[in-house]
């Protein structure tokens, strides 16, 4: 029952942190709400014990009233443990107080310890980095409209400059404002659209075809233009990173390497376990790295044309060309 209450609170947050194009400010707000809810769970130990007893009594009555005789015994109380006697060392005067009540022992050694560990983990990994979460939001294209209207906050971008000491903060602010101002037009740089809108250009109208309520996802044929990856793509594709947005380009590359959760790392290890099985235990390191990269980046791999791979292999040797051309 204790873990049921914990998972009810943490599962929605975990699901949201795994979504693409999440809002960093909303993510931090949900983390704060989760932290508060966990503190309330810790304070309501008696309610959890009552719920656990109701659960045990319900299934005990189900088993007793079952048509078939089921030889299952359900304990309603916590088992009483034997008191441990610890030898007192020479010169030791004090003794730790021994908890006699099993419910109090469970509350102190298991319930409080579990909740304190979770709360400490949430605080260390998320709550202490509020400033970083806010600065991540400054580089989100969905916030560019606010930056165009109100500019960058005066106390913003301090954390990023601490993490990247070679970045000039004032220059980064100017580049971010300039990039946010130009974003509605440069993110949709299409020759035909440019000629269609030759007479009149309204920056705000460029956002009318973006539905923020629907989940956006970049793929080979379509870009969402509302994520950090699309911002870096625009800077790279049009060679804006060399001089015009040099500082901004470095920041975007750095931000895209920051994982919000450890889910990606855990998935990578799970895929590695599927790749390196007992039958593949002697796979060379180079081949294993290639297979691992292909498995992790399957979205990119599916976009590669198979005929292009065959032509590449045919060009490597005449014998390969003969075998693949059959």
């Amino acid at each position: 029952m204790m873990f049921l209450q914990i998972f009810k609170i943490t599962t929605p947050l975990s699901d949201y942190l795994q979504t693409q194009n999440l809002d960093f400010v909303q993510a931090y707000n949900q983390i704060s709400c989760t932290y508060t809810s966990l503190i309330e769970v810790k304070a309501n130990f008696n309610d959890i014990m009552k719920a656990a007893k109701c659960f045990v009594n319900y299934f005990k009555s189900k088993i007793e009233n079952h048509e078939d005789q089921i030889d299952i015994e359900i304990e309603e109380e916590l088992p009483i443990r034997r008191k441990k006697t610890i030898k007192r060392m020479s010169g030791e005067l004090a003794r730790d107080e021994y908890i006699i009540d099993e419910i109090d022992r469970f509350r102190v050694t298991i319930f409080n310890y579990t909740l304190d560990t979770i709360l400490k983990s949430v605080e260390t990994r998320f709550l202490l980095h509020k400033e970083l979460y806010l600065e991540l939001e400054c580089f989100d294209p969905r916030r560019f409209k606010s930056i165009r209207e109100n500019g960058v906050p005066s106390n913003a971008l301090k954390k990023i400059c601490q993490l990247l000491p070679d970045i000039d903060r004032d220059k980064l602010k100017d580049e971010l404002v300039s990039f946010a101002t130009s974003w509605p037009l440069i993110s949709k740089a299409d020759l035909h659209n440019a000629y269609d809108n030759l007479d009149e250009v309204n920056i705000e109208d460029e956002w009318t075809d973006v539905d923020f309520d629907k989940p956006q996802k970049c793929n080979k044929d379509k870009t969402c233009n509302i994520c950090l990856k699309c911002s870096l793509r625009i800077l790279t594709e049009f060679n804006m990173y060399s001089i015009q947005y040099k500082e901004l380009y470095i920041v975007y590359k750095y931000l895209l390497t920051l994982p919000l959760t450890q889910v990606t790392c855990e998935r990578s290890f799970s895929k590695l376990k599927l790749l390196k099985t007992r039958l593949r235990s002697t796979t060379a390191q180079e081949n294993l790295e290639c297979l691992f990269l292909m498995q992790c980046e399957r979205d990119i791999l599916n976009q590669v044309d198979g005929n292009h791979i065959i032509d590449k292999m045919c060009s490597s040797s005449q014998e390969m060309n003969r075998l693949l051309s059959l």
Side-chain angles (χ1 to χ4, degrees), residues 31-67:
I31 292 170
S32 301
C33 294
T34 301
Y35 185 82
T36 304
S37 300
L38 290 174
I39 293 178
E40 294 177 356
V41 170
K42 182 181 177 182
N44 296 328
F45 174 75
N46 294 331
D47 295 339
I48 292 180
M49 288 299 300
K50 291 179 182 179
K53 290 181 179 180
C54 293
F55 178 81
V56 171
N57 294 331
Y58 173 77
F59 277 95
K60 184 177 180 180
S61 62
K62 283 285 187 180
I63 293 174
E64 292 176 351
N65 300 328
H66 199 271
E67 296 178 356

Side-chain angles (χ1 to χ4, degrees), residues 75-86:
E75 296 184 1
E76 299 183 23
E77 302 293 338
L78 294 174
I80 300 177
R81 299 182 181 182
R82 181 177 62 87
K83 180 180 179 180
K84 295 181 180 180
T85 302
I86 301 176

